[in-house]
Amino acid sequence: MRIKFSYILAAGLAAGIGAWMYSGTMVIGGVGDGENAAPSPAQRVAQATDKLFKVQVVALTAQERQAVLEVRGRTEAEAKVAVRSHITDDVVDRPAREGARVAAGDILCVLDRGARESRVLEAKAAVAEAEMLKEAATQLSSKGFTAETRVMTVQAQHDAAKARLEEAERALRQTVIRSPIDGVIESPMAEIGAQLDKGSICATVVNSDPMIAIGDVSELNIAQISLNMPAEVVLVTGETLDGHVRYISPSANPDTRTFRIEVEIPNEDGVARDGVTAVSRLPLPVEKAHKISPAILTLNDTGQVGIRGVGEDNVTVFYPVTVLGGEQDGMWVGGLPETVNAIVVGQEYVSDGVLVDPVFETAEISQ
């Protein structure tokens, strides 16, 4: 029986693969294990030229960094009160106007007094009559001409008359609606001739001094904020105002895991308006950090972000870093020693623990 050439070739390949696997030597992606591992570029240069691999190195020293936490939010008036009517009647006068500044106690709306003045006069007459009866009963009781129970009854009638007078006077006072706070009247107001039902709004008074900038801070940053911390508030309208932190929420929002903070801004001239988008800039405590170029960042074998440097005896070392923030001329990182010799050229061609020839500052590198 004639055997096809393809069968012979397949059998030969299978035998070769089996022998290779039996030998225990395996290479994955061009990198072997143990003595079969592919050398790094630096090691290959050293083996080929009998010279150490050169890397460019810069000495980095930690600097004091004033970080700023930006909290985005909006402005909110110190107080915003909708002043409501406690009775039902028509508006007969409105001394205040929309946009006017009022003080606490100023009149906003006057309602029709109707029969309320008459009820006050009737209640006063009833009190006077009750007082005379009380006085007469007390004198008769002291001489033994009337029972003590009579005195108690007259006293109760007197107290009831006084209560009715107080109620009538309160109803009369409620025809004049006054501002409970200092502030500016917001539009709209009740019009003259309109009927205000009990609970209807005569006017809304907004007190915007001080103004409050509110925002939400991540649970990762809340520990860096303290009461009375100075803050700079930048409004979307272009104004920049100084203030301080006056409130930090004791608990986080369960949905966003953020904490509400309030920055108080003096606003005597009314520059800041209610409901405007604002960014509060909070200077954080000074800390030591290094400013580096993002180009020197690299990864170690486990995927951790850091930089490679040259340690003692010119051996390469990997330093993990924490990115703190960025600026136009560099990036701030933490987690490095006070001083470190960072590899700025050639860091991708060496691995950890490799002996190299460091060239400091701007020296030329020949490889």
Side-chain angles (χ1 to χ4, degrees), residues 147-169:
E148 185 66 28
T149 55
R150 172 60 180 168
V151 177
M152 296 175 62
T153 300
V154 173
Q155 179 64 50
Q157 292 173 347
H158 177 263
D159 293 341
K162 288 184 64 177
R164 287 192 292 273
L165 174 60
E166 291 177 359
E167 183 179 356
E169 288 177 337

Side-chain angles (χ1 to χ4, degrees), residues 143-205:
K143 297 178 181 180
F145 294 117
T146 187
E148 185 66 28
T149 55
R150 172 60 180 168
V151 177
M152 296 175 62
T153 300
V154 173
Q155 179 64 50
Q157 292 173 347
H158 177 263
D159 293 341
K162 288 184 64 177
R164 287 192 292 273
L165 174 60
E166 291 177 359
E167 183 179 356
E169 288 177 337
R170 182 172 63 253
L172 183 59
R173 287 195 302 270
Q174 288 174 342
T175 60
V176 179
I177 303 176
R178 301 178 182 272
S179 175
I181 61 172
D182 298 340
V184 176
I185 299 176
E186 187 178 67
S187 179
M189 286 187 69
E191 297 290 342
I192 295 178
Q195 184 183 67
L196 284 185
D197 295 327
K198 183 177 181 180
S200 297
I201 298 175
C202 159
T204 299
V205 182

Side-chain angles (χ1 to χ4, degrees), residues 269-284:
D269 54 3
V271 171
R273 298 180 181 275
D274 181 41
V276 174
T277 300
V279 177
S280 299
R281 306 181 76 249
L282 309 174
L284 300 179

